[in-house]
Amino acid sequence: MAYNEHTADRIRQSLDARRIRFTEKKMFGGVCFLVDDKMLIGVEKARIMARIDPDDASPLKRKGVKPMDFTGRVMKGFVFVDDNALDKDNELDYWIDRTLEYNPKANSSKKKSSNKQSNKIKLPMNSQIEPTDPMSPAPMMPEATPAPAKKPARRKAARKAAAKPAAAAAPAPAAAAPKKAAKKAAKKSAKKAAKKAAPKKAAKKAAKKAAKKAAPRKAAKKAAKKAARKAAPRKAAKKAARKAAPRKAAKKAARKAAPRKAAKKAARKAAPRKAAKKAGRRR
């Protein structure tokens, strides 16, 4: 079911009870009720569409109401009302009253016909129709339009004469053709040059990337060289110390052995004296 038929029957009964002349038309995927060739109220899926005064914002505060955005944008003066907010007859009558109040002020989408177009099809009261125009309830009979009167030959001749100088001046835009061709040629040459320069640009970019990657390595090498230079005197000092170590040890040993040697010499010299003393004691 494309729309709630029970709600549509309730609207018909309410309009009939008010003795309102209306017509029905299928539109917006449902059914709409029109009064004086203007949309009054409609039923679409599980909700109704009401055309109210756009300057009155009080109906929008009621339960289950939101602006009508059927086409993707809000339509001013039209609202959607959910069926859940229309369970009671007085709730539905409220919206019918609001639409009937605004209907005389609303503009009809149907174009007014002139007095000559009197071949309008009359519809019976409270009829159901499906016209091709979604907002016009009654189809209009096409009226034959009179053929336009032929203009005098003098005017045609004057126009032709005026058109000849314009035609003579028309070739002027052709002068702009070489400029356009030159622009196209310049664009083509620029594109070719850009294509040729593309490998060079790519090479430059690759060189820059390689230089960025190699920069830390260069810095590390420089730091290692500096450290080696600083450490060179220390290494030389260590080597010299290693070479001088035996000499120092020999000197220390010589210093320690010097008193012993002197004592031995003194003992050697004193040995005859001690022997003489011993001999004298024996006597």
Side-chain angles (χ1 to χ4, degrees), residues 8 66-67 75 115 127 186 196 217 221 235 246 255 281:
K66 70 173 185 176
M75 298 177 67
N115 295 331
S127 61
K196 290 180 180 179
R217 297 176 186 174
K221 286 182 180 179
K235 288 182 180 179
R255 287 173 186 171
R281 288 176 185 173

Side-chain angles (χ1 to χ4, degrees), residues 9-242:
D9 290 336
R10 291 172 62 193
I11 293 173
R12 289 190 195 97
Q13 293 174 6
S14 179
L15 293 174
D16 287 336
R18 300 165 189 260
R19 295 185 178 181
I20 302 295
R21 296 177 66 89
F22 66 91
T23 55
E24 296 182 26
K25 180 174 71 168
K26 288 186 178 180
M27 55 190 292
F28 298 115
V31 61
C32 289
F33 299 86
L34 297 91
V35 175
D36 293 335
D37 298 331
K38 294 176 280 188
M39 177 182 167
L40 183 77
I41 196 169
V43 183
E44 187 259 343
K45 296 181 181 179
R47 57 190 178 184
I48 66 169
M49 302 172 287
R51 189 177 187 182
I52 60 174
D53 188 354
D55 296 331
D56 186 6
S58 59
L60 294 171
K61 298 178 181 179
R62 294 178 67 88
K63 180 182 177 182
V65 182
K66 70 173 185 176
M68 182 173 171
D69 54 353
F70 189 83
T71 58
R73 67 178 182 181
V74 175
M75 298 177 67
K76 191 175 182 181
F78 292 84
V79 294
F80 281 134
V81 185
D82 294 335
D83 282 348
N84 296 332
L86 304 171
D87 293 336
K88 298 180 181 179
D89 290 339
N90 60 350
E91 293 173 342
L92 180 61
D93 289 340
Y94 168 84
W95 291 106
I96 294 175
D97 291 339
R98 297 285 77 76
T99 55
L100 287 172
E101 287 177 4
Y102 179 65
N103 185 261
K105 304 175 186 177
N107 295 326
S108 176
S109 62
K110 175 185 160 185
K111 295 181 180 179
K112 293 183 179 180
S113 59
S114 59
N115 295 331
K116 294 181 180 180
Q117 294 178 346
S118 59
N119 295 328
K120 181 179 177 181
I121 298 177
K122 294 183 179 180
L123 299 172
M125 179 178 177
N126 302 350
S127 61
Q128 298 182 8
I129 59 173
E130 295 184 23
T132 56
D133 186 359
M135 295 301 292
S136 59
M140 300 295 296
M141 293 297 292
E143 184 181 11
T145 55
K150 294 183 178 180
K151 296 181 179 180
R154 292 181 180 177
R155 293 183 181 176
K156 289 184 179 180
R159 286 185 179 179
K160 286 182 180 180
K164 285 181 180 179
K179 294 182 180 179
K180 290 183 179 179
K183 286 183 179 179
K184 288 182 180 179
K187 286 182 180 179
K188 287 182 180 180
S189 60
K191 286 182 180 179
K192 288 181 180 179
K195 288 180 181 178
K196 290 180 180 179
K200 295 180 181 178
K201 290 183 179 179
K204 286 182 179 180
K205 286 183 180 179
K208 286 182 179 180
K209 288 183 180 179
K212 288 180 180 178
K213 289 181 180 178
R217 297 176 186 174
K218 289 182 179 179
K221 286 182 180 179
K222 287 182 180 179
K225 286 180 180 179
K226 287 182 180 179
R229 288 173 186 171
K230 290 180 180 178
R234 296 177 186 174
K235 288 182 180 179
K238 285 182 180 179
K239 285 182 180 179
R242 286 173 188 171

